[in-house]
Amino acid sequence: MTSPEENKTTATETTEQNKANKAAVQAQEAADTDALKSPADEATDDLEAIKKELEAQKTLLQESEEHYKRLQADFMNFRRRNEKEREELSSVIVQGLIKDLLPIIDNFERALAVEEAKGSALHDGITMIYNQLIASLQKNGLEEIKAAGEKFDPNFHQAVMRVEDPEKEDNTVEEVLQKGYTVQGRVIRPSMVKVVAN
């Protein structure tokens, strides 16, 4: 006769053996199922896996393209901004340089206005230098502000005197005392003028 401990050990061994047998049967069934699958079924499974992988790659490609387009747009904006800043800086430098040259232009014009010197070689030389200087500055955007006979505009003219002239309309520029100039559309010196005030 067997003791209770031996019965317990035998029962445990039997349970473990049944579990092992059951696992072996399930493994055999799975192997049989795989063996029963036709090559067409395996190809279908492979095709599904490839389709899933392809969809994942398409999604990744679209994300990469969108990222690339955003980077390209950012770079184009950076270039545009950089170019604009460079042009503005260049414009400010040119305007400052021309503004510094305006007193020289004024002195040339005063020298050319001397009646006694007209026709002399010195006068002709000064005229040539003046014309050359003005041509160079005009290439860089210098323009004289038209004032004489125009309506007074505080954006372009600086009134320093008021005169009466019944023949002319109020706020008409009577005389230009000092020429004004713009560079690339920006006023660097307004015209100093006499304005009619009846």
Side-chain angles (χ1 to χ4, degrees), residues 79-96:
R79 268 176 87 183
R80 222 176 286 122
R81 234 182 357 262
N82 197 12
E83 185 68 28
K84 185 178 178 183
E85 287 173 4
R86 191 173 28 218
E87 286 174 6
E88 287 174 0
L89 180 62
S90 173
S91 177
V92 167
I93 291 170
V94 167
Q95 290 167 4

Side-chain angles (χ1 to χ4, degrees), residues 23-38:
V25 169
Q26 287 175 345
Q28 185 60 41
E29 285 175 0
D32 290 343
T33 303
D34 288 345
L36 291 176
K37 280 188 180 176
S38 67

Side-chain angles (χ1 to χ4, degrees), residues 112-120 123-124:
L112 293 172
V114 175
E115 289 293 327
E116 298 81 34
K118 288 187 179 176
S120 69
H123 186 271
D124 293 343

Side-chain angles (χ1 to χ4, degrees), residues 93-111 130 133-138 140-145 156 158 177-184 186-192:
I93 291 170
V94 167
Q95 290 167 4
L97 176 64
I98 292 176
K99 188 174 182 179
D100 290 343
L101 292 174
L102 292 182
I104 297 170
I105 292 172
D106 293 339
N107 288 332
F108 268 116
E109 288 173 349
R110 285 186 198 102
Y130 172 76
L133 177 62
I134 291 294
S136 296
L137 295 177
Q138 285 173 342
N140 286 288
L142 179 72
E143 290 182 29
E144 183 181 334
I145 296 172
F156 298 102
Q158 180 181 0
L177 302 174
Q178 184 182 49
K179 289 181 181 178
Y181 295 95
T182 62
V183 175
Q184 299 169 352
R186 180 178 280 165
V187 176
I188 59 170
R189 184 175 81 182
S191 298
M192 292 175 65

